[in-house]
Amino acid sequence: MNPQELAEEFWNMDSAQQADFFNILADIIEENQGRGMMQLDYIVMENALYPHGARLINLLADKIKEV
C-alpha cells in the first residue's frame, strides 16, 4: 500500500476506526521502545513534508490538547 492509498483508506474510515488507527499506532511505537516518537520528529523535519501536511499535524495536536 502506498501513502496515497493509505491516506484514502484512513479518510474513508469512520471516527471510531480512525481513533483505533491512532491507538494501534501508539501501541506499535510503544512496542518498539519509543523509537516511533523519534520517527515522528523525523517526519516533521522531512523536506518532503509540505506546509499543508505540517499544518494538518499541528491542527490534530491542537485538537488533542483541547480534550
Side-chain angles (χ1 to χ4, degrees):
M1 178 175 286
N2 67 41
Q4 177 73 35
E5 294 166 332
L6 179 58
E8 289 172 1
E9 285 295 321
F10 180 81
W11 183 249
N12 289 320
M13 293 177 185
D14 63 29
S15 60
Q17 291 170 316
Q18 289 179 348
D20 284 344
F21 172 87
F22 284 110
N23 290 333
I24 292 167
L25 181 58
D27 289 344
I28 291 169
I29 290 169
E30 187 174 315
E31 289 169 7
N32 287 281
Q33 293 84 34
R35 287 192 307 256
M37 293 309 293
M38 184 181 297
Q39 177 63 28
L40 295 175
D41 288 340
Y42 290 150
I43 291 168
V44 173
M45 297 181 331
E46 175 59 51
N47 290 333
L49 181 64
Y50 294 148
H52 60 277
R55 277 194 301 274
L56 176 59
I57 292 170
N58 284 324
L59 286 169
L60 289 170
D62 287 345
K63 286 292 182 187
I64 294 299
K65 290 177 192 172
E66 294 174 7
V67 174

